[in-house]
Amino acid sequence: MSGATAAAGGPVPRKKSKVGSLERQQRISIRSSYAALSIFVVIFLVPPFYMVMTALKSSAEISAQQGNPWIVQSPTMENFIQLATDASFQRYFINSVWVTAMVVIISMAIAILAAFSLSRMGFKGAQVLSTGVFLTYLVPPSLLFIPLFQIVGTLGLINNTWVLVLLFPTLAVPFCTWIMIGYFNSIPKELDEAALIDGATYPQILVKIFIPVALPGIIAATIFAFTVAWGGFLYPLAYLYSADQATLTVGIVRELIKGDVFAWGMIMAACVMAAAPPIIVYTFLMDYYVAGLTAGATKG
Amino acid sequence: MANVSIRKVVKSYEGDVQAVKGIDLEIEDHEFVVLVGPSGCGKSTTLRMIAGLEEITAGEIWIGGDVVNDVPPRDRDIAMVFQNYALYPHMSVFDNMAFGLKLRKFPKDEIKRLVDDAAKMLDIQMLLDRKPKALSGGQRQRVAMGRAIVRNPKVFLFDEPLSNLDAKLRVQMRTEIKKVHQLVPTTTVYVTHDQIEAMTLADRVVVMNHGVIEQVGAPQELYHNPQTRFVAGFIGSPAMNFLPVQVVDDSGLKVQLADGTKMAIPPERVDRYGPYKGKKMTLGIRPEHMTETHESEKPGVQLMNAKVDVVEPMGMETLVHHFVDGVAVCSRVDPNTKCRPGEILPLAIDMNNMHLVEDSSSRVV
Amino acid sequence: MADGSTMVVGASATTPPAPRQGGTMKRLARRRSMAALALCAPLIALIICLKIYPTFYAIFLSMLDRKMNHFVGLDNFAYLLGRPSFHLVIFQSCLFAVTAVVMKAIIGFILAHLMHNIRGSSQRIWRGLLLVPWVIPLSLSTLTWWWLFDPSYSAFNWTLSWLGLPEVPFLGTVWNARISVIMVNTWFGAPFFMIMYLAALKSVPEQLYEAAAIDGASAWQRLIFITLPMMRNIILITVLYSLIVTFADFDIVRILTNGGPQDGTHLFATYAFAVGIQSGNIPRGASVSLFMFPVLATLAFFVLRDVLNRNKEVAT
């Protein structure tokens, strides 16, 4: 039990002689847990809450600085409408969608093939490669972005969204492969043997048995690749300098913030719209999302 | 339908570990053969080599007149039932059974007919739309068998198919398997560690130990005429009692225990055991041949008093544990026999069913 | 499977009556391992071209002069080590990583326990709410934090003065800014710790607690003698992994302070960006990044060791 509940449960043992003390102790512990969690939830949700509140304010309301800033006085969808009809914002959104879709497809294809091979087929050095995959997962993007700048420059990809299609998989693939190896390894060996005897070839085993059976893992890995590509900030900031190539994150941070007079209502509305896809994915697929998070330590 | 022959087959792993040390076995068409032995005896490896899931290090395996060493599993025309059933979790029962046929490009209506027939035989028609998750252990077992049957393969392979079931279901499914084999007499190789399963199912039982075949024979033959000490001890439950003895000639050929007790060898066996006079041997006697005394005993029965140690009533019989010459032995007595721990129980030992093991070769003589 | 092929060679040697044997099986085995390698080829290419090669290229780059014409050896590293502003970067990176990870670990631990106390379907809802900071793309939530910290419009300061307290320049002084970036990182990362610890807590068998309770262990003793030892490995992996990610963090500092005030909040990543990309001194930027390498490699070594250990435990 945590410090908070232990403290709350402190005086309880003395009442032990009374009937139902254990139940009572549990009830107090649960109630204090709820209380403590509520405080944390409130603190954790301050920024998203304020993001939405600001997004609903007009510029006039923000600059007037009248009354409580936490609550919107006259909510308006003006910011959202303006963004939705803004050509450059549409451009960022389209760029983000296209980059993310490509990254997810490429990363998952590489990861599933490699994981199937490493989990079931095997070759000399497969063990080394598995370990290597995990190590590359631990390489943060900020370690290599400068040499990569030179490399993509040589390839002529600077200021081209293709650079992200090329580079984001380096962040997504190792972890996706690692998750998929774990999921594939958890499929009993008898299942592929049964399929072999039933007459399946290796490609058929992958497509008809492994992919459907490991679907939860595939969803978890896909979500991971999606978050990497959608939320990536350093690479687009470093390699894409013109507004028409920007993805949402850089587009909002770099292009919408102009001069000293910040159109904060609109910036926050853009943040809400850019954060919406991950939030939606998360709302519907929370269990897969969580499985993907914990997979690194519990699977593989 | 086909015969299977295994010729001088060896399986070795890295580090010179030999799992199977050159075995020979001829399995006739329609025959039901059970490979039985303790874990690690090589029985599963042998089965997996027949299936093509393990490479054969040396020797040959023939199925229906062809060497299949180089044939991948899918082309061997075999079907296998696994211990954990290995049902495809994402497919319905119907799809599980149809998978092999679909891969072989059978026409749709043909698949439906074959699956329905097999399902009817196994009484699982009402389960065809369910997923394996929604099935009980026994039902999964049936589906696994159904998946094997629909393909009408040359050979059925069973790898400990009943070990994951509870005791009651195991007995039921055992009968079920036997019934299926009577309906569809496909050549069957069945692996188990349970000797009762082996005895009840098999036309012939193959007892394996440490990668070699100890004995091949019909169940009754193995029971009555085990050829090695291992088979004698492995087949039968409770296991055969073994007592160290010396063959002596004391007004007739007798076996003598270390404490001096002598027991006469039946006259018809004197010739057989004569050559071993003076040698130290091991006497093997089954619990059911050490029973309570009766008013009139047939010839060849020796009487002995035993101090009862533990009594285990089983219902149709009672097991009595006691010591003979310091060796723990077990007797099987009539449940009406009165005996309590610590009491003296007179026992009749039927020497007509004795076995004598030569210690140096571990062979039954 | 390469071993498979050698085994078959042995087989055909010991069994003369099978000349046609071995050949096909060996070929099959070899073909299968070739196919296996081919399936991994994209992964291998990606690792070699976009991870290993850039690492060596970074070392090469770091030894050139600004125009990238001359080889200058370790001059860039020496120059950086002699700069007081780079000393600040080293200091702030370590302070940032260690403090933020400790905070995240503690808060995550408390949260996981609170969550573990409440069972059933409501746990899902609470978990869902608490994970929101982790789900919003970091650059966007950091932007919101910036807006919350804004010198003239800060909603925090409005609240403070409403409570009759003095206003705080959150990003105005070096130490305030340092605390602020650590706070934002803690806010962002604590949910991750919570989820990891919660998974670990759930994997501790309930019987252990019941046995301990019967043995007379108090709640505190159960925490010390059962929970912590059982979670030890996951705690280690999570902390080490988070140290790597936090140490190399970029988004928060870049957006919130861009290294200021007075270069007091620069991390290796943001400093490398400022030097390498913004000022265009690629070699020196590469050297800044490379300073992270020994720390990251050490941490990665321990993560790998613990993960492999853990897999062994799971396997047995």
Side-chain angles (χ1 to χ4, degrees), chain C residues 54-316:
Chain C
T55 308
F56 287 99
Y57 191 51
I59 296 170
F60 169 73
L61 277 177
S62 70
M63 296 197 254
L64 300 178
D65 70 345
R66 182 176 185 133
K67 296 240 164 61
M68 293 192 268
N69 299 330
H70 296 96
F71 183 79
V72 294
L74 299 176
D75 280 8
N76 281 318
F77 297 98
Y79 173 84
L80 283 169
L81 282 177
R83 296 265 303 190
S85 66
F86 190 67
H87 298 163
L88 280 180
V89 171
I90 299 176
F91 170 74
Q92 168 64 2
S93 291
C94 297
L95 176 81
F96 177 76
V98 173
T99 319
V101 169
V102 168
M103 300 274 291
K104 286 187 274 193
I106 292 172
I107 293 176
F109 195 76
I110 293 171
L111 282 173
H113 272 87
L114 294 174
M115 295 279 291
H116 200 54
N117 279 345
I118 58 166
R119 304 289 164 91
S121 57
S122 68
Q123 196 190 48
R124 267 177 60 86
I125 298 165
W126 288 92
R127 189 182 66 176
L129 289 172
L130 286 167
L131 254 180
V132 167
W134 182 261
V135 177
I136 303 172
L138 181 55
S139 51
L140 304 178
S141 50
T142 308
L143 209 52
T144 316
W145 278 99
W146 189 24
W147 173 227
L148 280 164
F149 289 148
D150 187 275
S152 38
Y153 294 88
S154 172
F156 285 150
N157 276 333
W158 181 88
T159 314
L160 287 176
S161 39
W162 186 71
L163 293 169
L165 296 167
E167 295 191 355
V168 178
F170 287 100
L171 304 174
T173 72
V174 172
W175 275 101
N176 280 0
R178 283 176 178 164
I179 293 168
S180 297
V181 289
I182 289 170
M183 231 169 74
V184 174
N185 186 276
T186 306
W187 169 84
F188 169 70
F192 172 69
F193 277 78
M194 172 192 79
I195 286 297
M196 295 296 280
Y197 290 166
L198 190 59
L201 277 177
K202 282 183 179 166
S203 70
V204 180
E206 198 62 34
Q207 281 102 321
L208 280 185
Y209 291 109
E210 289 167 357
I214 289 166
D215 283 344
S218 68
W220 179 249
Q221 285 167 324
R222 291 201 288 267
L223 174 71
I224 298 294
F225 295 115
I226 296 176
T227 313
L228 282 180
M230 294 293 286
M231 287 175 65
R232 184 179 160 273
N233 216 321
I234 288 234
I235 293 179
L236 262 177
I237 292 172
T238 315
V239 164
L240 288 168
Y241 170 72
S242 180
L243 270 174
I244 292 179
V245 176
T246 314
F247 191 71
D249 193 48
F250 175 80
D251 299 13
I252 295 175
V253 169
R254 166 75 202 173
I255 293 171
L256 221 47
T257 65
N258 199 8
Q262 296 119 46
D263 286 347
T265 55
H266 258 312
L267 305 175
F268 282 111
T270 54
Y271 194 68
F273 188 87
V275 172
I277 308 283
Q278 283 184 315
S279 312
N281 193 341
I282 293 278
R284 194 163 292 153
S287 336
V288 173
S289 283
L290 280 178
F291 269 100
M292 285 193 277
F293 193 80
V295 178
L296 297 183
T298 314
L299 292 170
F301 168 78
F302 285 110
V303 178
L304 188 69
R305 196 192 59 178
D306 288 333
V307 166
L308 293 181
N309 278 348
R310 187 178 160 73
N311 284 350
K312 244 176 263 160
E313 277 168 33
V314 171
T316 46

Side-chain angles (χ1 to χ4, degrees), chain B residues 12 55 57-60 67 69-70, chain C residues 4 8 11 14-15 20-21 24:
Chain B
S12 51
E55 279 171 36
T57 310
E60 284 179 340
V67 182
N69 286 33
D70 293 340
Chain C
V8 179
T14 49
T15 49
R20 65 210 142 122
Q21 177 190 344
T24 34

